[in-house]
Amino acid sequence: MRLKSVFQYQFRDYKISYFMFFGILLFLEVANLVGIKLSGMEDKGIYFRNESMVVLAGFIMGANAFRENFHMLMQNNVSRKLIEAGRILNTLLSGIILAVLCRLVSLVYELAALGDSRMQARSVFAILYPSFWEQENGLEKLGVELLFWAGFVILFTMLGYFFGALYYNLGKVQKTLLSIGIPVFLLLVLPILDVYAAGGRIAKFFLGMLTLLLGGTAGNPAWSFFSTLIGAAIFGGIAVLIALRSPVQN
């Protein structure tokens, strides 16, 4: 089986997910708009609902992609290298498609917000990079914003794929520790340590890393795109190494 066939096989599973996800996003956006119009409430918050859902969707798709495709393709005598090459190509394409779908749904909100003082369509990208947003023309802003979110989707898809590959190779006890231990540590233990032992330095460290990832104080969106791709390459590379050594499990 050639790379093209492997890519098409893996992409076939994604196509249904794209349509379903777009439908869910659009439904939630329309429901939100109807609620605002009928209730008369103001909506001036940061517009991040669709973007956060897209990034989460990328992680879930990546985490669920390993086991099923790995089993099916191995049963058809497809080499592991071809399986991983197809996965990387699908991840890159997936980031672009999900970013475009997210932008289309966000456009519905922006069009509805025109001439309505109760609604203010402020994208996270425009807030993070105000000078770029004000100086560049519409097409360039659109293109860079799509790359910005595509980079994050690719990063979190590879991160999900890494955890999926890792989880596949763990025993039952290790899987339980991973499933429970990481959320408890991140959401409970780490904040307590930060407040009572580190004096807030842990939170400042992560905020500093996030600032660096997003382009630093200069606010350069190109830096963010390359940072997310580097992160995706690191997690994707580790996931590939795990996959090349993974036994076939029933």
Side-chain angles (χ1 to χ4, degrees), residues 19-249:
F19 283 111
M20 291 180 62
F21 185 70
F22 179 71
I24 292 172
L25 272 186
L26 187 60
F27 171 78
L28 292 176
E29 194 57 76
V30 172
N32 176 59
L33 290 171
V34 171
I36 292 173
K37 297 291 186 181
L38 293 179
S39 65
M41 62 178 287
E42 291 188 349
D43 185 11
K44 296 182 180 295
I46 296 175
Y47 191 71
F48 189 50
R49 292 180 293 269
N50 296 330
E51 289 86 348
S52 59
M53 289 183 65
V54 165
V55 171
L56 179 61
F59 180 85
I60 294 173
M61 290 171 67
N64 292 330
F66 182 83
R67 185 181 183 93
E68 182 177 355
N69 283 328
F70 183 73
H71 277 186
M72 290 296 296
L73 292 172
M74 287 292 291
Q75 290 173 1
N76 285 277
N77 296 319
V78 179
S79 72
R80 297 177 186 231
K81 291 182 179 180
L82 277 180
I83 296 174
E84 297 311 308
R87 172 59 50 215
I88 291 172
L89 291 176
N90 268 288
T91 299
L92 295 174
L93 180 60
S94 177
I96 297 172
I97 292 176
L98 287 176
V100 171
L101 293 181
C102 173
R103 196 68 191 85
L104 288 174
V105 175
S106 298
L107 182 61
V108 174
Y109 182 95
E110 293 170 9
L111 291 174
L114 291 176
D116 192 334
S117 60
R118 295 173 303 163
M119 302 169 62
Q120 185 172 335
R122 297 188 299 159
S123 70
V124 173
F125 182 79
I127 294 173
L128 289 173
Y129 309 108
S131 59
F132 177 85
W133 189 261
E134 294 172 1
Q135 294 174 7
E136 303 302 329
N137 60 56
L139 286 178
E140 186 165 354
K141 285 191 293 188
L142 175 61
V144 175
E145 185 180 12
L146 288 177
L147 286 177
F148 174 81
W149 287 114
F152 272 93
V153 175
I154 291 170
L155 170 61
F156 276 84
T157 303
M158 278 302 182
L159 183 62
Y161 191 62
F162 162 75
F163 277 107
L166 181 63
Y167 197 82
Y168 177 85
N169 287 274
L170 296 178
K172 291 184 178 179
V173 176
Q174 294 170 316
K175 288 179 180 178
T176 303
L177 291 175
L178 181 66
S179 302
I180 299 176
I182 291 180
V184 169
F185 177 76
L186 292 178
L187 300 177
L188 183 62
V189 177
L190 198 60
I192 292 175
L193 288 175
D194 191 30
V195 172
Y196 293 102
R201 288 190 294 272
I202 297 177
K204 290 180 180 178
F205 170 77
F206 282 109
L207 286 174
M209 292 298 294
L210 181 61
T211 301
L212 179 64
L213 178 67
L214 295 176
T217 56
N220 188 345
W223 180 267
S224 170
F225 180 66
F226 287 121
S227 297
T228 51
L229 287 188
I230 291 172
I234 293 173
F235 285 108
I238 298 174
V240 168
L241 292 177
I242 294 175
L244 293 177
R245 292 168 173 78
S246 296
V248 179
Q249 302 176 10

